Amino acid sequence: MPRASWNGFLRLSLVTCPVYLVPATTEAKRVRFNQLNAETGNRVAQQLVDSKTGDSVDRDQIVKGYEYERGRYVTITDDELKDLQIESSKIIDLERFIDRDEVDPIYLDTPYYVHPDGEIAAETFRVIGEAMAKTNKVGLGHVTLSSRERLVLVEPRDGGLVMSTVRSADEVRPPEFGAKPKGEAEPDMVAIAETIIERRSGAFDPTTFRDRYQDALRELVDAKTKGLERAPREIAEPPKVINLMDALKRSLAKETEAGPKEAEPKEAEPKETAASKTARSKPAPDRRQAALLLPVAGGRKKKEPAAAEPVAAPAAKGRRRAG
């Protein structure tokens, strides 16, 4: 388990229990580069120097300073910072409880796992977590991390608690999407887009996501270590959409032809047996729809699709309403 990044107490009114925080995310598997001297191939070391004299400065000579006027500083010692304690330096006080849906995800920042610190704290920790789960509430409090007091959201998860730091209002920029288009989107186009979205709908599974850029970096590093040359990757730009309706229809036809996507197998498939070969030799029934009629706004009359077309175009505007 990673090292605890914070130790203190979790408090609900007059009830407290000792806890510690562990970062819920990691970047340990990222490809990282070192800075080297291009001529010697040796790593480059950073050196601290005095900005006026140019003399090198040892790390034990470094102190923290705040520039209160141009070129004038007041120094702060580590002991003074250690003595500068406020309540949230040691206590996460759950001051208010709200519905989870009230929190816009854009405000959530860094997640941490909250652990009870010791066997005695486990019962109190479990009581607080189960009470939050049964009331469908999440708690808001404050904690001081890295010389900043942060608003935090604490929520139950899988029998434990997860704490996420919350960005302040001045850290979130207001949306600036520009002027909204006049009128409403074409209903027929929206209907086709809805069908495409439904065809591509599925469950959220983060294990299926891979950072393809990091994979490409690893492939590059592996090739370089073996002295192999790699051809540059070229990504073609998608064609410009000139006719949106035509592009939507072609997209829907592509999705209909491809069928539902299946998750990639995580393990190698077992060898094929004689029984499976026999079953595979039987022709599977054709479950594809011969045609697809899309719902359109209003009570328009549906037109039967032509036999040669896999997807019928939505009813055009301007037709007489039935009845």
Side-chain angles (χ1 to χ4, degrees), residues 177-202:
F177 298 120
K180 294 183 179 180
K182 296 181 179 180
E184 297 182 355
E186 172 60 45
D188 293 350
M189 295 185 184
V190 175
I192 297 178
E194 287 177 356
T195 305
I196 296 173
I197 292 172
E198 290 174 359
R199 295 285 177 86
R200 291 194 164 211
S201 297

Side-chain angles (χ1 to χ4, degrees), residues 198-238:
E198 290 174 359
R199 295 285 177 86
R200 291 194 164 211
S201 297
F204 173 67
D205 184 4
T207 61
T208 61
F209 170 76
R210 290 193 63 85
D211 187 334
R212 292 173 292 182
Y213 188 82
Q214 287 288 309
D215 290 343
L217 277 179
R218 292 187 182 92
E219 292 176 5
L220 175 62
V221 171
D222 185 60
K224 297 282 285 187
T225 56
K226 296 177 181 179
L228 303 176
E229 294 291 336
R230 285 183 55 84
R233 292 171 174 257
E234 295 183 1
I235 305 298
E237 293 186 2

Side-chain angles (χ1 to χ4, degrees), residues 113-163:
Y113 292 128
V114 187
H115 295 270
D117 196 356
E119 296 181 0
I120 299 177
E123 182 178 11
T124 304
F125 184 86
R126 184 170 59 250
V127 168
I128 295 175
E130 289 187 8
M132 294 173 66
K134 289 184 177 180
T135 56
N136 293 319
K137 298 290 184 180
V138 297
L140 294 178
H142 296 85
V143 68
T144 298
L145 297 170
S146 302
S147 302
R148 286 188 60 192
E149 186 179 45
R150 304 294 301 270
L151 177 67
V152 294
L153 181 147
V154 180
E155 58 184 318
R157 180 174 300 180
D158 297 331
L161 294 176
V162 173
M163 185 196 82

Side-chain angles (χ1 to χ4, degrees), residues 15-251:
V15 178
T16 60
C17 67
V19 297
Y20 62 91
L21 304 179
V22 172
T25 59
T26 178
E27 295 185 350
K29 294 185 178 181
R30 284 186 57 186
V31 176
R32 299 181 183 276
F33 297 107
N34 295 312
Q35 292 181 322
L36 308 178
N37 185 333
E39 295 182 358
T40 64
N42 300 326
R43 288 187 62 176
V44 176
Q46 292 183 336
Q47 187 177 21
L48 299 172
V49 297
D50 189 298
S51 61
K52 298 292 186 181
T53 65
D55 299 332
S56 61
V57 181
D58 295 332
R59 291 193 176 275
D60 58 2
Q61 295 179 276
I62 303 298
V63 296
K64 296 180 176 64
Y66 176 79
E67 186 177 22
Y68 64 95
E69 289 181 4
R70 183 77 172 178
R72 302 189 65 182
Y73 300 85
V74 57
T75 58
I76 306 294
T77 67
D78 291 338
D79 289 337
E80 289 174 327
L81 291 175
K82 189 176 181 180
D83 294 337
L84 185 64
Q85 298 288 331
I86 59 176
E87 186 178 60
S88 61
S89 300
K90 284 295 181 182
I91 300 174
I92 304 173
D93 188 10
L94 300 178
E95 304 168 351
R96 185 184 307 171
F97 292 87
I98 61 173
D99 293 333
R100 181 66 170 78
D101 294 340
E102 292 185 27
V103 182
D104 189 331
I106 200 171
Y107 283 90
L108 297 182
D109 195 358
T110 308
Y112 296 85
Y113 292 128
V114 187
H115 295 270
D117 196 356
E119 296 181 0
I120 299 177
E123 182 178 11
T124 304
F125 184 86
R126 184 170 59 250
V127 168
I128 295 175
E130 289 187 8
M132 294 173 66
K134 289 184 177 180
T135 56
N136 293 319
K137 298 290 184 180
V138 297
L140 294 178
H142 296 85
V143 68
T144 298
L145 297 170
S146 302
S147 302
R148 286 188 60 192
E149 186 179 45
R150 304 294 301 270
L151 177 67
V152 294
L153 181 147
V154 180
E155 58 184 318
R157 180 174 300 180
D158 297 331
L161 294 176
V162 173
M163 185 196 82
S164 299
T165 55
V166 180
R167 296 182 177 94
S168 60
D170 57 4
E171 291 180 301
V172 177
R173 293 175 177 173
E176 298 177 355
F177 298 120
K180 294 183 179 180
K182 296 181 179 180
E184 297 182 355
E186 172 60 45
D188 293 350
M189 295 185 184
V190 175
I192 297 178
E194 287 177 356
T195 305
I196 296 173
I197 292 172
E198 290 174 359
R199 295 285 177 86
R200 291 194 164 211
S201 297
F204 173 67
D205 184 4
T207 61
T208 61
F209 170 76
R210 290 193 63 85
D211 187 334
R212 292 173 292 182
Y213 188 82
Q214 287 288 309
D215 290 343
L217 277 179
R218 292 187 182 92
E219 292 176 5
L220 175 62
V221 171
D222 185 60
K224 297 282 285 187
T225 56
K226 296 177 181 179
L228 303 176
E229 294 291 336
R230 285 183 55 84
R233 292 171 174 257
E234 295 183 1
I235 305 298
E237 293 186 2
K240 294 182 179 180
V241 176
I242 300 176
N243 187 316
L244 179 56
M245 176 61 84
D246 181 61
L248 286 168
K249 288 179 181 178
R250 285 187 282 108
S251 298

